[in-house]
Amino acid sequence: MKKSVLFGLVALAGGLFSANAQEVTYVEDCSQGYLMNKAKDNWFMTVQGGSNVLFGKDDVHADLKNRFGGNAGLFFGKWVNPNFGFRFGAEYQMSKGVTASPYGMFRKMNAAPLKNGMYPEKFQSINPQFDVLINLTNWWCGYRPGRVYNAVLHGGGGAMIMYRRAYDRLQNTTKGDLKWHAAKDTPLFANVGLQNNFAVSKKVDLFIDVQYQLFHLGGAGYNHYCQDLQLSAGLNVHFGKKEWSCPVTAVCPTWKYTDAEGDALVARLAQAEAKIASLQKQLDDCLNRPVEKVSCEGLATVYYPINQYSLSSREKTILKSMAEVMKETPNQKYILTGWADNYTGNDEINTRLRNNRVNTVKAFLVKCGVNADQLDARIDANNLTDFGAKGAPLDRAVTIKLAD
């Protein structure tokens, strides 16, 4: 009786404004965080090309214009969340510079020494590598769907599979073979760079990338670290869903009334006062009745934070104890019910949460040795409690009860 009277008061108060109220709308609010996408989403392919310049110990003695080479790369990657991701692939690199050694394995064929005594060199490499990605714009400014510019910091490393022209160091001449051959040296390298992305559509980004690379040359005629600066341009092609979903919140409309509507509202409030007085009397009578004792048939309740369904260590400890009880009574059936509050999210999200929560609890109990036939997993679309939006955290749960 008490619940029905309270419900009547709320319904009456709500009815006073229903004539002029606009419909409440629900929108995604990314300021509250974001929801994880499916594994198939947020993949991308990167194609790029550009130029590089060497800054090795000997290379700095050459004119800058003679140290420019070329590079091109192909990568595949995935964003794990709006801030962090990874990519893997390979890069082709043509490098030019000079060496102080007349017998350097990368010395340019038939090239006379320069005025400063250095010898021109030229080599190619295929560089398989793995990079970690950090979206600095999302990290510092917060995620915002549809943002045009994103600054992405990337860093990682790999190996340089190097190639050179055939060269007879003893005879100081070429062998007549103009083909490129694999060099014996395969140095490791580390790199760091900044990719400036500009979204041109929902699936394609254009970018300009600046990258610094460090590697060690240890072959014939070499034993020093080299530095390489690259400037590239390219595009990222995204696969699957690119944007991230955000929690859904309600947007309440602004209510406005004319004078006539205000007078009508005053009249309706006067009528409501009489009804409220009657309901108040019924409520007082209900409160004066002795409280009925209700037995609690629930055995355990597992609670969750908003938009979560994974089990914490505390909840796992409770369920392990529950599992021991269940295993001692193998003929007893139990009802597992998944709940979600109806004050946040929408029906689709809440239904998914209820199923994920109850199935996670069932799977953990079975893992602990409980017979799956003892467990009846189901969901309930209602609220677990009647405490309103302030009590919403009490509605995000899985309850365990004895089956009849």
Side-chain angles (χ1 to χ4, degrees), residues 149-167:
Y149 173 77
N150 283 280
V152 176
L153 180 69
H154 59 87
M160 301 179 70
I161 305 173
M162 308 190 76
Y163 294 86
R164 64 182 180 90
R165 290 280 174 81
Y167 182 75

Side-chain angles (χ1 to χ4, degrees), residues 257-270:
Y257 298 94
T258 64
D259 291 340
E261 290 172 337
D263 294 338
L265 182 59
V266 171
R268 294 186 64 186
L269 286 173

Side-chain angles (χ1 to χ4, degrees), residues 151-190:
V152 176
L153 180 69
H154 59 87
M160 301 179 70
I161 305 173
M162 308 190 76
Y163 294 86
R164 64 182 180 90
R165 290 280 174 81
Y167 182 75
D168 190 334
R169 298 194 302 274
L170 297 178
Q171 299 297 325
N172 194 27
T173 182
T174 64
K175 297 178 181 180
D177 185 358
L178 298 181
K179 295 182 180 180
W180 290 88
H181 297 265
K184 295 181 180 180
D185 193 24
T186 305
L188 301 179
F189 68 90

Side-chain angles (χ1 to χ4, degrees), residues 294-316:
V294 180
S295 61
C296 180
E297 59 177 344
L299 298 180
T301 302
V302 179
Y303 292 98
Y304 299 84
I306 187 171
N307 288 332
Q308 299 294 320
Y309 60 85
S310 58
L311 295 171
S312 66
S313 57
R314 174 181 176 277
E315 305 303 331
K316 288 181 179 179

Side-chain angles (χ1 to χ4, degrees), residues 176-213:
D177 185 358
L178 298 181
K179 295 182 180 180
W180 290 88
H181 297 265
K184 295 181 180 180
D185 193 24
T186 305
L188 301 179
F189 68 90
N191 63 66
V192 63
L194 181 67
Q195 189 180 95
N196 298 275
N197 287 277
F198 300 89
V200 295
S201 71
K202 291 184 178 180
K203 295 294 184 181
V204 178
D205 300 337
L206 296 180
F207 67 82
I208 298 175
D209 184 81
V210 180
Q211 177 175 281
Y212 167 81
Q213 185 181 68

Side-chain angles (χ1 to χ4, degrees), residues 38-288:
K38 296 180 180 179
K40 66 179 181 179
D41 294 325
N42 304 107
W43 286 89
F44 64 89
M45 177 181 70
T46 297
V47 180
Q48 66 182 48
S51 182
N52 65 79
V53 58
L54 282 176
F55 289 91
K57 183 181 77 171
D58 297 332
D59 300 315
V60 296
H61 297 291
D63 292 338
L64 181 63
K65 64 181 181 180
N66 296 326
R67 285 186 278 152
F68 281 102
N71 61 274
L74 177 64
F75 300 91
F76 292 90
K78 176 178 174 62
W79 286 102
V80 181
N81 60 43
N83 299 336
F84 299 99
F86 64 86
R87 71 176 185 178
F88 55 89
E91 187 176 54
Y92 163 80
Q93 185 173 326
M94 170 70 77
S95 301
K96 299 178 182 179
V98 296
T99 176
S101 172
Y103 305 118
M105 70 167 64
F106 300 119
R107 176 182 164 185
K108 193 174 181 181
M109 298 184 305
N110 299 329
L114 303 175
K115 294 181 180 179
N116 57 8
M118 296 290 179
Y119 295 88
E121 65 178 356
K122 183 178 182 181
F123 59 88
Q124 299 182 77
S125 64
I126 303 295
N127 309 337
Q129 65 186 75
F130 179 87
D131 292 328
V132 175
L133 310 177
I134 302 176
N135 190 314
L136 298 179
T137 308
N138 287 341
W139 190 11
W140 293 341
C141 304
Y143 171 68
R144 190 183 72 208
R147 179 180 277 130
V148 175
Y149 173 77
N150 283 280
V152 176
L153 180 69
H154 59 87
M160 301 179 70
I161 305 173
M162 308 190 76
Y163 294 86
R164 64 182 180 90
R165 290 280 174 81
Y167 182 75
D168 190 334
R169 298 194 302 274
L170 297 178
Q171 299 297 325
N172 194 27
T173 182
T174 64
K175 297 178 181 180
D177 185 358
L178 298 181
K179 295 182 180 180
W180 290 88
H181 297 265
K184 295 181 180 180
D185 193 24
T186 305
L188 301 179
F189 68 90
N191 63 66
V192 63
L194 181 67
Q195 189 180 95
N196 298 275
N197 287 277
F198 300 89
V200 295
S201 71
K202 291 184 178 180
K203 295 294 184 181
V204 178
D205 300 337
L206 296 180
F207 67 82
I208 298 175
D209 184 81
V210 180
Q211 177 175 281
Y212 167 81
Q213 185 181 68
L214 178 67
F215 60 95
H216 181 265
L217 287 180
Y222 301 91
N223 186 21
H224 59 268
Y225 283 95
C226 288
Q227 303 175 73
D228 183 80
L229 186 64
Q230 298 180 5
L231 178 64
S232 305
L235 55 86
N236 293 319
V237 180
H238 297 268
F239 304 101
K241 185 177 179 180
K242 176 184 177 183
E243 306 291 351
W244 298 84
S245 299
C246 303
V248 176
T249 58
V251 177
C252 298
T254 301
W255 294 337
K256 297 181 179 179
Y257 298 94
T258 64
D259 291 340
E261 290 172 337
D263 294 338
L265 182 59
V266 171
R268 294 186 64 186
L269 286 173
Q271 296 174 3
E273 288 181 356
K275 294 182 180 180
I276 292 175
S278 176
L279 290 172
Q280 183 63 51
K281 183 178 181 305
Q282 298 179 48
L283 179 60
D284 292 339
D285 293 341
C286 181
L287 293 174
N288 292 329

